[in-house]
Amino acid sequence: MEIFYSKDIKGGRAELSPEESSHCVRVLRHREGDEILVAGGDGNLYRCLMEKADPSRAVLSVVSVEGGFGGHDYYLHMAVAPPKNIDRFEWFMEKATELGIDRITPLLCARSERRSFNRERGERIILSAAKQSLKGYLPELDPLVPFTDLLSSSESFDGARFIAYCDRELYSEDGTPVRRIPLSEALMLSSGRTGSGRRALFLIGPEGDFSREEAAAAYKAGFIPVSLGNSRLRIETAAMLCVSAMYLY
């Protein structure tokens, strides 16, 4: 099953980007009259006919639309500090897209070793993974976001917010030790405040973990500390554990 993506679908017509057009016409040798399946990244699958087999700008006519294609019954936002080896973060983006994720935020933290991120390359990786796994939705990919900015913007998030923090010595303002809940308990708390289904935001820190100041700020902002078990996990492993658990729960 071949699926192409287009951001230009309107008025019963769809146009493919130069990259998608080249793959469709030059590589796969589609011609006028061929049936083409196109996803718009909006959850719809468009069944189209090729009108113009131009390898730089293929034009299609929409025959029918199938809604809810390749979706999932939850909303998941992962904010993850990319490791020094960017290949590992790219692997995470690919696999998270294959399972099902709605938003990925590369996070810049106090202890981050990587302080840059190629968003354009990341979007290409996500697009390729979405096509391979037959997804109708494309996850939103943010630029590199400072930790404090993420905390501020997350205040309006309609769902449960968690921080995977390794250090057990986290205390509330009155000096009471803060319990880290297991991931299984976090999943049970992931239903939205308005009853809109399971919605969760997870924070995954850099090598060396979040600083105590960052963990305390997140807790004060309403994030619930969560434990991912007793093993010491790499960044991308911890992130994929959360994605996989949400996918299977």
Side-chain angles (χ1 to χ4, degrees):
M1 185 177 184
E2 299 166 356
I3 293 182
F4 300 91
Y5 272 80
S6 173
K7 295 181 180 180
D8 189 1
I9 304 176
K10 57 186 177 182
R13 293 288 185 274
E15 290 188 12
L16 301 183
S17 68
E19 294 79 9
E20 291 288 88
S21 294
S22 179
H23 186 230
C24 180
V25 177
R26 283 203 174 100
V27 179
L28 299 178
R29 300 184 181 279
H30 282 296
R31 295 294 180 260
E32 283 82 359
D34 286 359
E35 184 175 272
I36 309 293
L37 297 178
V38 178
D42 55 359
N44 292 323
L45 180 67
Y46 299 85
R47 192 171 299 274
C48 305
L49 291 179
M50 176 78 79
E51 284 190 352
K52 182 180 179 182
D54 186 332
S56 62
R57 181 177 164 270
V59 180
L60 318 171
S61 61
V62 177
V63 176
S64 63
V65 182
E66 175 188 338
F69 175 73
H72 43 268
D73 63 352
Y74 55 84
Y75 181 93
L76 178 59
H77 180 182
M78 295 295 301
V80 183
K84 185 176 182 179
N85 184 349
I86 196 61
D87 289 349
R88 293 176 177 168
F89 189 73
E90 291 177 350
W91 177 89
F92 159 70
M93 290 191 296
E94 178 184 73
K95 302 310 173 188
T97 300
E98 290 179 13
L99 287 183
I101 191 170
D102 299 275
R103 185 174 180 181
I104 299 173
T105 302
L107 206 54
L108 179 61
C109 302
R111 296 174 178 169
S112 291
E113 291 191 64
R114 172 163 289 278
R115 310 189 76 81
S116 63
F117 174 68
N118 188 335
R119 186 183 184 185
E120 184 177 344
R121 175 175 168 81
E123 289 175 339
R124 291 198 299 268
I125 290 170
I126 285 175
L127 176 59
S128 177
K131 291 171 66 174
Q132 187 277 329
S133 55
L134 304 181
K135 292 290 186 290
Y137 291 92
L138 283 179
E140 182 180 357
L141 179 63
D142 294 321
L144 192 66
V145 175
F147 180 82
T148 53
D149 290 356
L150 188 281
L151 290 190
S152 298
S153 65
S154 69
E155 291 179 357
S156 60
F157 180 73
D158 176 28
R161 297 177 294 162
F162 306 101
I163 177 171
Y165 180 53
C166 299
D167 196 329
R168 297 178 184 274
E169 298 180 8
L170 178 62
Y171 298 90
S172 62
E173 291 182 340
D174 63 2
T176 305
V178 176
R179 171 178 172 262
R180 294 184 305 148
I181 66 172
L183 182 57
S184 57
E185 188 174 330
L187 295 175
M188 290 188 288
L189 297 174
S190 64
S191 58
R193 301 172 196 158
T194 60
S196 56
R198 292 184 295 134
R199 298 174 64 86
L201 164 57
F202 285 91
L203 305 185
I204 306 293
E207 290 105 335
D209 203 8
F210 294 108
S211 68
R212 292 189 181 183
E213 293 77 15
E214 288 172 330
Y219 178 71
K220 186 176 181 180
F223 282 81
I224 301 170
V226 63
S227 170
L228 301 183
N230 297 322
S231 299
R232 179 182 295 176
L233 304 178
R234 293 185 184 273
I235 294 169
E236 71 277 11
T237 309
M240 276 308 300
L241 177 58
C242 297
V243 176
S244 300
M246 196 74 171
Y247 175 77
L248 294 171
Y249 179 68

